[in-house]
Amino acid sequence: MKVSASSSSATKRLFELPLEDRLPPLPTAYLAGRDLDLLEPLKFLAPGELPNSAAEPAQDRAPLAAALAVANEAYGHPRAQELADRLADPATRVVVTGQQPGLFGGPLLALTKTLAAVRQVRALEARGESAVAVFWMATEDHDFAEVAQTTFLGRGQLQHFDLGEDPAPLLPVGMRTLGSGFDAVAAEIESLVGGEEATARLDRLRAWYRADARFGEAFARMLVGILGADAPLILDSMLSEAKRLQAPFLRRLVEARAELDDGFAQAERRIQERGHPLQVNPQPGLSPLFLLHGQERRRIEWQGDDRFGLRGVDGYSAPVAELLERLDDNPAVVSPGVLARPAIQDAILGSTLQVMGPSELSYLAQAAPSYRILGIDAPWTSLRPQALVLDGRQAGYLEELGISLAELLEQPLEKLLASRLGDDFVTPARERIGQLVAELRDGAVGLDPSLEKPWRKTRDLVDRALDQLASKVAAATARRHGVWLRRFEQLRDAILPDGHLQERELSTAFLYCRYGDDLVRSMLEQLDPDPRRMNVIRLE
């Protein structure tokens, strides 16, 4: 027996998935209006609102805008000069987001973030304000494992691919090419992609992703290529003009190192006193900055009042004055870590709004002292929405049986199918049996109080026996309805691959190969900035 949703409102409920209980503690608190003082001087933007004040750019953005025009034209951005001219205007509001340049576009969440920033810009423009979106491409990051893997769905199961062992640990990814292992990965992916249209889309991606292409270049070209005129300006964090503009702010973090260290300690204490965990482990004496030492990005460690070392380099010690000289001579050798990067980013952009993910928002309270040290106008910050892409066939499976996303993610498939297909006769019988067993207690204990224990043993024995029967019935239902079980297994793999939400696991490239330009168009049309519930993007 098949059960269908009986109305449009019932159908809508099938695709509702609240996210408040699935978010980390600090973003949950911010959404509820609690503990917002932990973010100060940053301001949290509540869902449905727009920034009501703009940050004053800490410096002239024109040189950066000119460099971004050249870089984005090279990426193929059709509006590079137009958006760069807008950025150069100090009255323009900047909405910024970012991510590491992952293989084949990284997981879907990078695209979700990008489009959320674009939607915020559109909302500001609708209010009559000039605005531009900027994507901060974190090429200075050296986590090779994070950017060198991708996940596709093929042959009925998840397929994970990676570029192999890290050939140069601690080398920033922006200085790396995809390397010799890429062609083998691309060939395996090609064998999974079926159909003429999907193959043509993969061929398009491979024009950008090549063994000799750098991670940042390939990522930027893909993002611009699939978004076209809707693409934000892409800012490579290693861009020479960006590094030049960062230099005075990086210098300030070095000069105020003791004050900054105290600020971090106070922020960590306040967060923990409110009962929240720390997203970044406390590291007293460690700088939030890195130094490029040869081909390795090493964390700077403070040694006393006027010297520094490098974590992992035994015996390294030099005067802080030498570090400042190197920074002045070549700003590219110093880069911000996670607790300094947001403030450095906003210092050179004059950001009005950051769009951040749950983990990023979780550490922002720890990073807040960097803003106070730099003395810049802190922007608003918002939690990005989360997205789930379903096509008509997948949505139809849910509608045909009336199974909601929440049920699909939280209940065993066999039990779920049994209840929907009319074969779960154990549950109603169990309720009646439970009532009868409960009624036995009063008579037994009234006769002899020592019968309480035997009654409990009887109740537990009955419960276990019914559990075993229910399990066998569910398995029999699954065998009887094997086609439906396989459909829902595939659906769960698409929605919750490897137990993670889709956007954190599945590659943007996989979804682009499957859906093409409809993916971006549908996300732009359907993406709701509200992060409290899952954005179900339906493609027909």
Side-chain angles (χ1 to χ4, degrees):
M1 180 178 70
K2 297 180 181 179
V3 181
S4 298
S6 59
S7 68
S8 59
S9 60
T11 299
K12 182 179 178 181
R13 285 196 297 272
L14 296 181
F15 298 97
E16 289 181 349
L17 184 62
L19 293 175
E20 287 99 332
D21 294 339
R22 298 171 182 266
L23 294 171
L26 274 171
T28 299
Y30 300 153
L31 286 169
R34 302 192 308 272
D35 298 327
L36 298 178
D37 59 303
L38 295 176
L39 279 172
E40 294 175 353
L42 292 143
K43 304 172 286 288
F44 181 70
L45 189 68
E49 296 184 1
L50 287 174
N52 57 20
S53 61
E56 286 292 329
Q59 55 191 352
D60 182 10
R61 291 194 298 233
L64 178 62
L68 288 179
V70 173
N72 281 263
E73 283 174 354
Y75 299 146
H77 200 310
R79 298 173 61 206
Q81 189 62 56
E82 173 197 341
L83 296 181
D85 290 344
R86 192 179 298 179
L87 178 66
D89 183 351
T92 294
R93 298 198 177 198
V94 175
V95 179
V96 63
T97 193
Q99 191 73 18
Q100 293 91 343
L103 182 62
F104 280 122
L108 179 65
L109 65 86
L111 182 60
T112 306
K113 266 187 186 177
T114 305
L115 296 179
V118 171
R119 288 289 299 265
Q120 292 284 8
V121 165
R122 289 183 176 182
L124 288 169
E125 290 175 334
R127 201 169 66 176
E129 301 177 55
S130 175
V132 64
V134 176
F135 186 97
W136 181 281
M137 189 165 58
T139 51
E140 291 181 302
D141 192 272
H142 58 264
D143 190 344
F144 180 76
E146 184 164 353
V147 301
Q149 59 85 32
T150 189
T151 302
F152 277 57
L153 265 175
R155 303 192 185 106
Q157 59 184 353
L158 285 175
Q159 302 281 332
H160 301 284
F161 305 96
D162 65 69
L163 299 178
E165 294 296 322
D166 187 348
L170 302 182
L171 180 67
V173 297
M175 299 172 67
R176 301 171 183 256
T177 61
L178 300 179
S180 58
F182 173 75
D183 287 336
V185 168
E188 285 189 70
I189 290 174
E190 188 171 0
S191 69
L192 290 179
V193 176
E196 186 176 333
E197 290 184 350
T199 301
R201 292 166 189 151
L202 180 61
D203 288 343
R204 187 182 184 209
L205 298 180
R206 291 199 61 184
W208 304 315
Y209 278 90
R210 309 179 311 273
D212 62 345
R214 292 185 183 273
F215 275 89
E217 172 197 6
F219 182 92
R221 288 179 181 273
M222 176 180 166
L223 198 58
V224 168
I226 67 175
L227 291 179
D230 292 312
L233 282 173
I234 312 296
L235 194 163
D236 184 336
S237 62
M238 297 181 72
L239 185 71
S240 59
E241 186 59 35
K243 294 305 298 181
R244 186 188 71 78
L245 294 173
Q246 289 178 36
F249 300 107
L250 294 169
R251 169 179 267 275
R252 174 60 182 153
L253 293 181
V254 173
E255 292 172 337
R257 55 193 177 278
E259 183 182 352
L260 183 60
D261 203 36
D262 287 344
F264 286 150
Q266 292 176 23
E268 290 158 0
R269 194 159 48 246
R270 292 178 66 211
I271 293 167
Q272 291 178 310
E273 285 172 353
R274 302 287 179 90
H276 299 296
L278 297 177
Q279 182 74 11
V280 179
N281 291 328
Q283 297 175 321
L286 281 180
S287 165
L289 305 176
F290 289 79
L291 179 68
L292 193 60
H293 179 65
Q295 295 292 296
E296 297 179 332
R297 183 175 182 251
R298 292 281 183 178
R299 171 85 73 170
I300 295 170
E301 299 178 320
W302 303 127
Q303 298 175 342
D305 292 334
D306 59 358
R307 299 188 70 81
F308 76 98
L310 297 177
R311 187 164 63 175
V313 182
D314 292 339
Y316 186 98
S317 181
V320 171
E322 179 181 309
L323 173 63
L324 292 173
E325 289 175 5
R326 295 175 68 178
L327 173 59
D328 292 340
D329 182 59
N330 182 11
V333 300
V334 178
S335 58
V338 67
L339 295 185
R341 192 271 307 156
I344 294 294
Q345 161 197 282
D346 296 327
I348 70 169
L349 286 174
S351 310
T352 293
L353 174 65
Q354 305 171 358
V355 178
M356 308 192 82
S359 296
E360 294 166 321
L361 191 55
S362 294
Y363 68 65
L364 200 56
Q366 288 178 257
S370 297
Y371 287 87
R372 288 191 284 269
I373 293 296
L374 295 183
I376 62 172
D377 282 348
W380 294 81
T381 187
S382 66
L383 179 62
R384 70 167 178 85
Q386 299 186 55
L388 169 66
V389 176
L390 293 178
D391 59 33
R393 176 179 56 85
Q394 293 166 331
Y397 291 162
L398 295 177
E399 292 173 339
E400 191 163 355
L401 282 181
I403 292 177
S404 70
L405 281 175
E407 291 173 317
L408 183 67
L409 298 187
E410 296 167 0
Q411 294 189 27
L413 286 182
E414 292 180 348
K415 180 178 180 181
L416 193 56
L417 278 175
S419 67
R420 286 300 187 273
L421 295 171
D423 291 338
D424 184 13
F425 47 81
V426 176
T427 296
R430 181 178 195 148
E431 294 175 357
R432 296 194 299 272
I433 292 170
Q435 292 174 354
L436 292 172
V437 171
E439 292 172 3
L440 292 175
R441 179 187 177 279
D442 291 341
V445 173
L447 181 64
D448 184 347
S450 66
L451 294 177
E452 172 78 27
K453 186 174 181 180
W455 175 81
R456 289 184 179 276
K457 291 180 66 176
T458 300
R459 181 199 59 188
D460 293 345
L461 183 64
V462 169
D463 284 344
R464 285 196 298 272
L466 289 172
D467 282 342
Q468 292 175 356
L469 178 60
S471 177
K472 293 181 183 296
V473 168
T477 298
R479 290 192 297 271
R480 180 179 179 186
H481 301 287
V483 171
W484 273 107
L485 181 62
R486 286 190 295 274
R487 286 177 178 175
F488 276 83
E489 286 173 342
Q490 293 171 1
L491 186 57
R492 181 173 283 180
D493 280 343
I495 293 173
L496 205 68
D498 273 0
H500 303 115
L501 289 174
Q502 183 195 77
E503 65 167 17
R504 303 195 66 83
E505 194 74 20
L506 287 186
S507 167
T508 296
F510 163 72
L511 292 162
Y512 176 74
C513 287
R514 173 168 285 190
Y515 303 117
D517 293 339
D518 285 347
L519 173 68
V520 173
R521 183 172 59 253
S522 297
M523 290 186 73
L524 268 174
E525 291 174 353
Q526 300 177 35
L527 194 64
D528 184 339
D530 192 336
R532 293 171 296 185
R533 58 182 180 273
M534 180 64 72
N535 275 261
V536 179
I537 311 300
R538 297 185 61 173
L539 294 95
E540 299 303 331

